[in-house]
Amino acid sequence: VVSTQSTGPEVQSYRSHNSTFSTYAPRTFSEKYSSSLQPLEQNMVLTSKQKDELHKAILDYLQSAGFKDSYSSFQRESGAQAADASSVGLLEKKWTSVLRLQKKVQELEEKVTQLESETGNRRKAPTTDCLPRTPEKSVLKGHRNNITAVRFHPVYTQLASSSEDATIKIWDYESGEFERTLKGHTNAIQDVAWDKSGKLLASCSADLTIKLWETSTWDCSKTLYGHEHNVSGVIFLPSGDFLASCSRDATIKIWETSTGYCMKTLKGHDDWVRKIAVNNSGNKLK
């Protein structure tokens, strides 16, 4: 059973019996850095050394540009000494640096605007249906031992839960009502999975078997044997014609769902393969 806890407008926390997961709503660039991006038009106080360097750089520029009267007037009013070697071309270098920085700032501002626009578009998507909110809609009770997996039906408002009590329970998650219990395994059920049509439900167990359940009748149509240890995970390939399973015997097996025949055994791991996943095209397992 998973509960949710609101911890503020930016954080949602999800708690299970042994861990906590938090998601954070990303702030915009301007929100995050508004405190540090202060206006640059504030009065800047130069030290005596900086003023002296600036005056010398201005004198060097006026002299090199041939502004003799301005040079004499500025030197007289500022009281600055004649420019030395360190001041030659300094004003031009500073000015070109400012131009380069302005261009860079403009490019960064355009990128920030683009990123804010993109994240803003995502934030416009409705979030009420995407993340759980307290209080919980339903609390489903009925298993007599730890729950190992919960899977939503791909079409209907049903979900299947498996447990170490060796049963699978089917629930209507809209109403929160219990519908039925599937029995057949003789040990803890480790995982369950629906095919893409929702007509087949697969379950795997520590009793070394995999069972296929027809959802039209909720009868077990096939029991698959082949693993030599605890079967820890099952997943249907996207076509629905094949099922992959993994086990503590360090193997992955591919099964044909129509016949229950094991098509292939994949070996390579040295220890327990606990879970498997398949890509959308069905040509890669991991």
Side-chain angles (χ1 to χ4, degrees), residues 130-157:
C130 300
L131 296 175
R133 296 288 187 270
T134 54
E136 66 276 5
K137 183 176 181 179
S138 303
V139 178
L140 313 180
K141 298 181 179 180
H143 284 294
R144 292 170 293 131
N145 209 330
N146 294 334
I147 297 170
T148 55
V150 177
R151 301 286 182 262
F152 285 95
H153 194 284
V155 179
Y156 304 119
T157 60

Side-chain angles (χ1 to χ4, degrees), residues 35-54:
S35 60
S36 58
L37 297 178
Q38 299 296 331
L40 297 179
E41 289 80 6
Q42 297 176 350
N43 293 330
M44 297 180 64
V45 179
L46 299 178
T47 64
S48 298
K49 183 179 180 181
Q50 289 172 332
K51 287 181 180 179
D52 184 56
E53 291 176 350
L54 177 60

Side-chain angles (χ1 to χ4, degrees), residues 116-271:
E116 287 184 340
S117 175
E118 292 174 356
T119 56
N121 290 337
R122 286 198 291 269
R123 286 197 299 273
K124 291 176 183 177
T127 58
T128 54
D129 295 332
C130 300
L131 296 175
R133 296 288 187 270
T134 54
E136 66 276 5
K137 183 176 181 179
S138 303
V139 178
L140 313 180
K141 298 181 179 180
H143 284 294
R144 292 170 293 131
N145 209 330
N146 294 334
I147 297 170
T148 55
V150 177
R151 301 286 182 262
F152 285 95
H153 194 284
V155 179
Y156 304 119
T157 60
Q158 293 176 318
L159 63 81
S161 61
S162 60
S163 169
E164 291 180 358
D165 64 11
T167 69
I168 301 167
K169 292 188 181 293
I170 308 299
W171 315 79
D172 186 313
Y173 61 79
E174 284 293 344
S175 64
E177 294 181 356
F178 165 74
E179 292 189 354
R180 58 180 47 81
T181 298
L182 308 182
K183 297 181 179 180
H185 287 288
T186 58
N187 207 332
I189 301 176
Q190 304 295 336
D191 196 13
V192 287
W194 302 94
D195 73 342
K196 66 176 183 178
S197 67
K199 295 179 179 179
L200 272 181
L201 177 67
S203 59
C204 61
S205 170
D207 64 10
L208 315 188
T209 69
I210 301 163
K211 291 185 179 292
L212 298 180
W213 308 82
E214 297 281 352
T215 58
S216 58
T217 61
W218 296 109
D219 292 330
C220 178
S221 59
K222 294 179 181 65
T223 300
L224 314 181
Y225 298 92
H227 282 294
E228 299 175 358
H229 212 311
N230 187 345
V231 188
S232 52
V234 286
I235 189 169
F236 283 94
L237 274 61
S239 66
D241 297 328
F242 298 95
L243 176 78
S245 63
C246 59
S247 170
R248 194 171 180 177
D249 65 11
T251 68
I252 297 171
K253 291 183 180 292
I254 309 298
W255 310 81
E256 187 177 40
T257 56
S258 60
T259 63
Y261 179 70
C262 181
M263 304 294 293
K264 184 172 292 187
T265 298
L266 307 178
K267 298 181 180 180
H269 288 285
D270 297 326
D271 205 344

